[in-house]
Amino acid sequence: MGGRKRPGLGKQLAELHRWNAWLVVVLAVSGLLLSWGAARGWLGEGRVWLKQLHIYIGLITAVILVLYGPLMKRHLKQIRTRPRQKGNLAVVLVLLVGWLLSGIVLWQFRHLPPRWSNGALAVHDLLTWVGLPYIAYHSITRLRWARKPEKRAIRTTEEPERAAPGGEPRREPAYSAAEPQAWMSRKQFIQWSVGLAITVAVVPPFFRWAGRTLGDFGPSEAGGMTKETDPNRMLPPPEPLPDSANVIGGGAQGRFRVYTVTPLPKFDSASWSFTIDGLVDNPIKWNWGDFLQLKRVVQVSDFHCVTGWSVYHNTWEGVPLSQLLSAAGVRPGARFVKFYSGDGEYTDALSLEQAQMEDVLVAVLHDGKPIHRDYGGPVRLIVPKMYAYKSVKWLERIELIEEPHYGYWEVRGYDNDAWV
Ligand SMILES: Nc1nc2c(c(=O)[nH]1)N[C@H]1C(S)=C(S)[C@@H](COP(=O)(O)O)O[C@H]1N2
Ligand SMILES: [Mo]
């Protein structure tokens, strides 16, 4: 190490700032892609990969925080007379620590109570709603073109503002007399217009998000299925059983995210059918009218998505899968049960033993109402003991097979073992 000088505080801080900025850019892009519902289909297995990347890059921000720790005292001393920089530092630290902690809960949620992950998801999202616009403003208004022209000209690659060595606070130079005193300086103009543009773009969707998120923490009128008119034309709707009409347990708590890997399909009673075939003694095909004649049961169960959100106390009414299997007569060679979605793309499977669990339901009603098209109606599978990627939406065919089948998400990296 002979004679190598330790870099000064300013230089170390500038270095950390640069690393942090790049990490946040990668995290923002990957995080936005991950939370964007429409990207689920075309990201495919890239989604699992992207999630790993997001997690590991996120963990690296902990390294930044650890490296910053020992510098913090001197840094605070250096900026003690600059309230704006202190405010900025506080915001950035709250964002990083908040994202990191909520991110760790979301990453490790299988080892934590499911209620934690709903909370962590809300915190992670809230920080993103507040933090990304803040950071965007912070970076755009500090870009070179946003500075005063004569200040831009003397900039070197080293950022003097942050790299200022020693404790001497560098004051913003007073406005040069040469500059004509307009009602607003160039800098102020840029700050105001960038601020306004970001506010206009972010505030309306933020309030929509906030409204929905409040629904995650309490009973919601629509039982967590927030869509109104149903594009499905399934008539007449089934009459709910008494327990289902009265919604045992007071109705679902939380909100479903609408997930699909295809454009949303649409069904009508005239063409809808439900088939059970493969290794069975009597393959059966029901139409809507016949299907509604099957004996239904009511169950209350929690619904967990592997991405960290849950909906509690759902009242589902439907036909137990075991009842359909008995009706078809499972042949001795059958070892797995494969489920086909009417979207033509999504499939999943259970072992015969798992499929015969008494709470696996082919559901028709949720909280006493027909299941809306967006949430898998008219008929979806419900496997309460497993993550919801096993709960195939728009279910229309069940096939008994001999060899294992790996479903849509399983071939894209999800664990075939989906036990909650
Ligand atoms: N056909 C189909 N079924 C599906 C999915 C899908 O994309 N397509 N997503 C699965 C996943 S990962 C979850 S969490 C739940 C989401 O159900 P919801 O869209 O009603 O909230 O459906 C599961 N079943
Ligand atoms: Mo999911």
Side-chain angles (χ1 to χ4, degrees):
M1 299 224 82
R4 199 136 146 287
K5 232 180 76 194
R6 210 165 135 251
L9 175 66
K11 201 153 182 193
Q12 290 181 58
L13 288 173
E15 194 86 330
L16 282 182
H17 184 267
R18 185 162 55 238
W19 273 100
N20 193 43
W22 281 111
L23 293 178
V24 168
V25 167
V26 177
L27 287 168
V29 172
S30 55
L32 290 175
L33 273 173
L34 284 171
S35 63
W36 182 25
R40 290 177 81 77
W42 58 262
L43 275 174
E45 78 188 288
R47 195 175 183 282
V48 175
W49 185 88
L50 194 67
K51 189 166 175 178
Q52 287 307 314
L53 177 86
H54 186 81
I55 291 170
Y56 292 127
I57 303 274
L59 290 171
I60 297 179
T61 61
V63 176
I64 299 278
L65 288 167
V66 167
L67 290 176
Y68 176 67
L71 307 180
M72 185 165 172
K73 218 171 139 190
R74 279 191 294 153
H75 184 211
L76 280 177
K77 209 168 141 200
Q78 184 190 311
I79 61 174
R80 68 184 179 282
T81 55
R82 291 192 234 161
R84 291 261 294 277
Q85 286 204 22
K86 278 198 285 195
N88 179 57
L89 177 66
V91 172
V92 170
L93 286 180
V94 167
L95 287 174
L96 289 183
V97 172
W99 269 323
L100 185 64
L101 293 182
S102 55
I104 289 173
V105 172
L106 288 171
W107 171 44
Q108 289 301 323
F109 80 107
R110 280 186 104 154
H111 308 289
L112 297 166
R115 297 245 172 211
W116 287 36
S117 52
N118 260 8
L121 197 60
V123 169
H124 215 71
D125 287 355
L126 177 66
L127 292 173
T128 305
W129 278 106
V130 176
L132 284 193
Y134 178 87
I135 290 169
Y137 175 84
H138 175 89
S139 6
I140 295 172
T141 55
R142 279 169 182 233
L143 286 178
R144 221 146 279 193
W145 63 265
R147 298 179 189 275
K148 277 202 293 174
E150 69 276 15
K151 241 175 120 187
R152 270 181 290 161
I154 56 153
R155 281 283 133 126
T156 61
T157 46
E158 183 119 325
E159 293 278 299
E161 202 165 302
R162 248 182 302 290
E168 192 52 37
R170 214 179 53 81
R171 269 172 232 295
E172 287 283 303
Y175 251 64
S176 88
E179 184 149 318
Q181 282 294 310
W183 64 281
M184 206 184 222
S185 70
R186 173 192 162 86
K187 187 174 164 187
Q188 281 171 325
F189 176 74
I190 288 171
Q191 285 176 343
W192 275 91
S193 31
V194 169
L196 194 71
I198 292 178
T199 308
V200 166
V202 167
V203 165
F206 169 76
F207 277 108
R208 283 198 295 276
W209 170 82
R212 286 198 309 265
T213 302
L214 289 177
D216 293 354
F217 297 94
S220 44
E221 286 269 306
M225 296 183 179
T226 51
K227 297 298 166 87
E228 292 296 320
T229 46
D230 195 332
N232 278 343
R233 290 279 156 260
M234 306 303 296
L235 294 165
E239 272 303 314
L241 295 170
D243 279 350
S244 175
N246 293 327
V247 187
I248 330 173
Q253 285 186 17
R255 170 178 55 94
F256 292 89
R257 278 66 167 171
V258 176
Y259 281 176
T260 185
V261 297
T262 62
L264 290 163
K266 197 159 113 183
F267 303 89
D268 66 82
S269 316
S271 57
W272 185 87
S273 69
F274 192 97
T275 307
I276 180 162
D277 60 5
L279 300 170
V280 291
D281 291 328
N282 5 284
I284 315 176
K285 186 169 182 169
W286 291 271
N287 64 28
W288 180 239
D290 297 340
F291 194 80
L292 292 181
Q293 298 305 309
L294 296 171
K295 192 164 168 289
R296 297 193 299 270
V297 301
V298 180
Q299 78 165 231
V300 177
S301 59
D302 298 338
F303 185 99
H304 304 290
C305 172
V306 77
T307 60
W309 54 271
S310 301
V311 183
Y312 297 89
H313 309 312
N314 298 283
T315 301
W316 299 105
E317 177 178 327
V319 187
L321 178 61
S322 57
Q323 185 183 317
L324 295 177
L325 294 175
S326 314
V330 177
R331 290 221 195 125
R335 291 175 51 231
F336 296 93
V337 185
K338 179 175 175 185
F339 305 97
Y340 294 81
S341 168
D343 65 12
E345 184 72 34
Y346 200 92
T347 60
D348 215 317
L350 296 173
S351 73
L352 187 55
E353 202 186 332
Q354 293 166 349
Q356 276 159 340
M357 294 188 293
E358 41 101 24
D359 58 354
V360 179
L361 201 65
V362 177
V364 194
L365 295 167
H366 175 263
D367 280 4
K369 290 196 229 61
I371 300 172
H372 185 282
R373 185 282 303 269
D374 291 11
Y375 305 92
V379 167
R380 80 175 293 166
L381 188 65
I382 290 297
V383 188
K385 292 195 179 73
M386 297 193 184
Y387 284 112
Y389 56 90
K390 293 284 181 183
S391 295
V392 175
K393 295 166 71 170
W394 311 296
L395 183 65
E396 62 168 26
R397 180 178 171 209
I398 296 172
E399 185 188 18
L400 281 110
I401 54 178
E402 194 179 340
E403 299 300 324
H405 165 76
Y406 297 95
Y408 183 90
W409 282 118
E410 284 85 342
V411 301
R412 289 166 179 79
Y414 281 24
D415 204 339
N416 195 44
D417 165 12
W419 295 102
V420 172

PDB file of all heavy atoms in Angstrom, residues 400-412:
ATOM      1  N   LEU A 400     -56.640 -36.231 -16.553  1.00  0.00           N
ATOM      2  CA  LEU A 400     -55.864 -37.123 -15.684  1.00  0.00           C
ATOM      3  C   LEU A 400     -54.743 -37.737 -16.487  1.00  0.00           C
ATOM      4  O   LEU A 400     -54.968 -38.257 -17.589  1.00  0.00           O
ATOM      5  CB  LEU A 400     -56.768 -38.166 -15.042  1.00  0.00           C
ATOM      6  CG  LEU A 400     -57.464 -37.443 -13.871  1.00  0.00           C
ATOM      7  CD1 LEU A 400     -58.903 -37.230 -14.118  1.00  0.00           C
ATOM      8  CD2 LEU A 400     -57.111 -38.061 -12.556  1.00  0.00           C
ATOM      9  N   ILE A 401     -53.527 -37.629 -15.950  1.00  0.00           N
ATOM     10  CA  ILE A 401     -52.350 -38.047 -16.713  1.00  0.00           C
ATOM     11  C   ILE A 401     -51.441 -38.910 -15.853  1.00  0.00           C
ATOM     12  O   ILE A 401     -51.592 -38.978 -14.628  1.00  0.00           O
ATOM     13  CB  ILE A 401     -51.556 -36.819 -17.240  1.00  0.00           C
ATOM     14  CG1 ILE A 401     -51.207 -35.870 -16.089  1.00  0.00           C
ATOM     15  CG2 ILE A 401     -52.372 -36.069 -18.310  1.00  0.00           C
ATOM     16  CD1 ILE A 401     -50.385 -34.659 -16.486  1.00  0.00           C
ATOM     17  N   GLU A 402     -50.491 -39.544 -16.520  1.00  0.00           N
ATOM     18  CA  GLU A 402     -49.613 -40.483 -15.828  1.00  0.00           C
ATOM     19  C   GLU A 402     -48.309 -39.803 -15.412  1.00  0.00           C
ATOM     20  O   GLU A 402     -47.799 -40.016 -14.316  1.00  0.00           O
ATOM     21  CB  GLU A 402     -49.313 -41.642 -16.784  1.00  0.00           C
ATOM     22  CG  GLU A 402     -48.707 -42.835 -16.083  1.00  0.00           C
ATOM     23  CD  GLU A 402     -48.440 -43.988 -17.049  1.00  0.00           C
ATOM     24  OE1 GLU A 402     -49.061 -44.016 -18.137  1.00  0.00           O
ATOM     25  OE2 GLU A 402     -47.605 -44.831 -16.704  1.00  0.00           O
ATOM     26  N   GLU A 403     -47.763 -38.961 -16.301  1.00  0.00           N
ATOM     27  CA  GLU A 403     -46.474 -38.312 -16.040  1.00  0.00           C
ATOM     28  C   GLU A 403     -46.710 -36.931 -15.427  1.00  0.00           C
ATOM     29  O   GLU A 403     -47.729 -36.302 -15.685  1.00  0.00           O
ATOM     30  CB  GLU A 403     -45.697 -38.153 -17.347  1.00  0.00           C
ATOM     31  CG  GLU A 403     -45.367 -39.468 -18.048  1.00  0.00           C
ATOM     32  CD  GLU A 403     -44.522 -40.385 -17.167  1.00  0.00           C
ATOM     33  OE1 GLU A 403     -43.661 -39.863 -16.424  1.00  0.00           O
ATOM     34  OE2 GLU A 403     -44.740 -41.613 -17.208  1.00  0.00           O
ATOM     35  N   PRO A 404     -45.736 -36.448 -14.657  1.00  0.00           N
ATOM     36  CA  PRO A 404     -45.902 -35.100 -14.091  1.00  0.00           C
ATOM     37  C   PRO A 404     -46.010 -34.051 -15.202  1.00  0.00           C
ATOM     38  O   PRO A 404     -45.443 -34.226 -16.285  1.00  0.00           O
ATOM     39  CB  PRO A 404     -44.610 -34.867 -13.296  1.00  0.00           C
ATOM     40  CG  PRO A 404     -43.851 -36.130 -13.311  1.00  0.00           C
ATOM     41  CD  PRO A 404     -44.474 -37.067 -14.286  1.00  0.00           C
ATOM     42  N   HIS A 405     -46.734 -32.983 -14.912  1.00  0.00           N
ATOM     43  CA  HIS A 405     -46.793 -31.854 -15.843  1.00  0.00           C
ATOM     44  C   HIS A 405     -46.330 -30.614 -15.092  1.00  0.00           C
ATOM     45  O   HIS A 405     -46.710 -30.399 -13.944  1.00  0.00           O
ATOM     46  CB  HIS A 405     -48.221 -31.657 -16.355  1.00  0.00           C
ATOM     47  CG  HIS A 405     -48.415 -30.323 -17.029  1.00  0.00           C
ATOM     48  ND1 HIS A 405     -47.957 -30.065 -18.295  1.00  0.00           N
ATOM     49  CD2 HIS A 405     -48.997 -29.171 -16.605  1.00  0.00           C
ATOM     50  CE1 HIS A 405     -48.246 -28.814 -18.620  1.00  0.00           C
ATOM     51  NE2 HIS A 405     -48.880 -28.238 -17.610  1.00  0.00           N
ATOM     52  N   TYR A 406     -45.500 -29.796 -15.735  1.00  0.00           N
ATOM     53  CA  TYR A 406     -45.051 -28.559 -15.112  1.00  0.00           C
ATOM     54  C   TYR A 406     -45.810 -27.400 -15.736  1.00  0.00           C
ATOM     55  O   TYR A 406     -45.831 -27.255 -16.962  1.00  0.00           O
ATOM     56  CB  TYR A 406     -43.530 -28.408 -15.246  1.00  0.00           C
ATOM     57  CG  TYR A 406     -42.843 -29.537 -14.492  1.00  0.00           C
ATOM     58  CD1 TYR A 406     -42.442 -30.687 -15.147  1.00  0.00           C
ATOM     59  CD2 TYR A 406     -42.711 -29.454 -13.114  1.00  0.00           C
ATOM     60  CE1 TYR A 406     -41.880 -31.742 -14.448  1.00  0.00           C
ATOM     61  CE2 TYR A 406     -42.148 -30.503 -12.400  1.00  0.00           C
ATOM     62  CZ  TYR A 406     -41.742 -31.647 -13.070  1.00  0.00           C
ATOM     63  OH  TYR A 406     -41.206 -32.690 -12.364  1.00  0.00           O
ATOM     64  N   GLY A 407     -46.433 -26.614 -14.895  1.00  0.00           N
ATOM     65  CA  GLY A 407     -47.360 -25.581 -15.348  1.00  0.00           C
ATOM     66  C   GLY A 407     -46.665 -24.362 -15.912  1.00  0.00           C
ATOM     67  O   GLY A 407     -45.429 -24.286 -15.980  1.00  0.00           O
ATOM     68  N   TYR A 408     -47.477 -23.374 -16.291  1.00  0.00           N
ATOM     69  CA  TYR A 408     -47.003 -22.168 -16.963  1.00  0.00           C
ATOM     70  C   TYR A 408     -45.862 -21.508 -16.194  1.00  0.00           C
ATOM     71  O   TYR A 408     -44.806 -21.229 -16.750  1.00  0.00           O
ATOM     72  CB  TYR A 408     -48.161 -21.178 -17.124  1.00  0.00           C
ATOM     73  CG  TYR A 408     -47.746 -19.942 -17.873  1.00  0.00           C
ATOM     74  CD1 TYR A 408     -47.858 -19.871 -19.254  1.00  0.00           C
ATOM     75  CD2 TYR A 408     -47.195 -18.840 -17.203  1.00  0.00           C
ATOM     76  CE1 TYR A 408     -47.448 -18.750 -19.955  1.00  0.00           C
ATOM     77  CE2 TYR A 408     -46.786 -17.714 -17.889  1.00  0.00           C
ATOM     78  CZ  TYR A 408     -46.912 -17.678 -19.266  1.00  0.00           C
ATOM     79  OH  TYR A 408     -46.485 -16.567 -19.934  1.00  0.00           O
ATOM     80  N   TRP A 409     -46.068 -21.260 -14.887  1.00  0.00           N
ATOM     81  CA  TRP A 409     -45.022 -20.565 -14.128  1.00  0.00           C
ATOM     82  C   TRP A 409     -43.921 -21.509 -13.677  1.00  0.00           C
ATOM     83  O   TRP A 409     -42.775 -21.103 -13.495  1.00  0.00           O
ATOM     84  CB  TRP A 409     -45.616 -19.826 -12.921  1.00  0.00           C
ATOM     85  CG  TRP A 409     -46.274 -18.542 -13.322  1.00  0.00           C
ATOM     86  CD1 TRP A 409     -47.586 -18.204 -13.179  1.00  0.00           C
ATOM     87  CD2 TRP A 409     -45.639 -17.405 -13.950  1.00  0.00           C
ATOM     88  NE1 TRP A 409     -47.812 -16.941 -13.686  1.00  0.00           N
ATOM     89  CE2 TRP A 409     -46.644 -16.432 -14.163  1.00  0.00           C
ATOM     90  CE3 TRP A 409     -44.330 -17.123 -14.358  1.00  0.00           C
ATOM     91  CZ2 TRP A 409     -46.374 -15.191 -14.760  1.00  0.00           C
ATOM     92  CZ3 TRP A 409     -44.064 -15.902 -14.954  1.00  0.00           C
ATOM     93  CH2 TRP A 409     -45.081 -14.949 -15.148  1.00  0.00           C
ATOM     94  N   GLU A 410     -44.259 -22.778 -13.506  1.00  0.00           N
ATOM     95  CA  GLU A 410     -43.238 -23.744 -13.081  1.00  0.00           C
ATOM     96  C   GLU A 410     -42.151 -23.863 -14.143  1.00  0.00           C
ATOM     97  O   GLU A 410     -40.965 -23.910 -13.814  1.00  0.00           O
ATOM     98  CB  GLU A 410     -43.871 -25.116 -12.810  1.00  0.00           C
ATOM     99  CG  GLU A 410     -44.641 -25.188 -11.490  1.00  0.00           C
ATOM    100  CD  GLU A 410     -46.070 -24.691 -11.599  1.00  0.00           C
ATOM    101  OE1 GLU A 410     -46.387 -23.980 -12.583  1.00  0.00           O
ATOM    102  OE2 GLU A 410     -46.879 -25.000 -10.709  1.00  0.00           O
ATOM    103  N   VAL A 411     -42.526 -23.876 -15.441  1.00  0.00           N
ATOM    104  CA  VAL A 411     -41.469 -23.974 -16.452  1.00  0.00           C
ATOM    105  C   VAL A 411     -40.721 -22.652 -16.574  1.00  0.00           C
ATOM    106  O   VAL A 411     -39.658 -22.587 -17.174  1.00  0.00           O
ATOM    107  CB  VAL A 411     -41.990 -24.419 -17.845  1.00  0.00           C
ATOM    108  CG1 VAL A 411     -42.668 -25.775 -17.765  1.00  0.00           C
ATOM    109  CG2 VAL A 411     -42.921 -23.399 -18.458  1.00  0.00           C
ATOM    110  N   ARG A 412     -41.271 -21.604 -15.986  1.00  0.00           N
ATOM    111  CA  ARG A 412     -40.582 -20.303 -16.008  1.00  0.00           C
ATOM    112  C   ARG A 412     -39.925 -20.002 -14.668  1.00  0.00           C
ATOM    113  O   ARG A 412     -39.675 -18.852 -14.340  1.00  0.00           O
ATOM    114  CB  ARG A 412     -41.576 -19.220 -16.398  1.00  0.00           C
ATOM    115  CG  ARG A 412     -41.969 -19.329 -17.871  1.00  0.00           C
ATOM    116  CD  ARG A 412     -43.181 -18.507 -18.211  1.00  0.00           C
ATOM    117  NE  ARG A 412     -43.519 -18.623 -19.630  1.00  0.00           N
ATOM    118  CZ  ARG A 412     -44.166 -19.645 -20.174  1.00  0.00           C
ATOM    119  NH1 ARG A 412     -44.555 -20.670 -19.416  1.00  0.00           N
ATOM    120  NH2 ARG A 412     -44.428 -19.679 -21.463  1.00  0.00           N
TER     121      ARG A 412
END
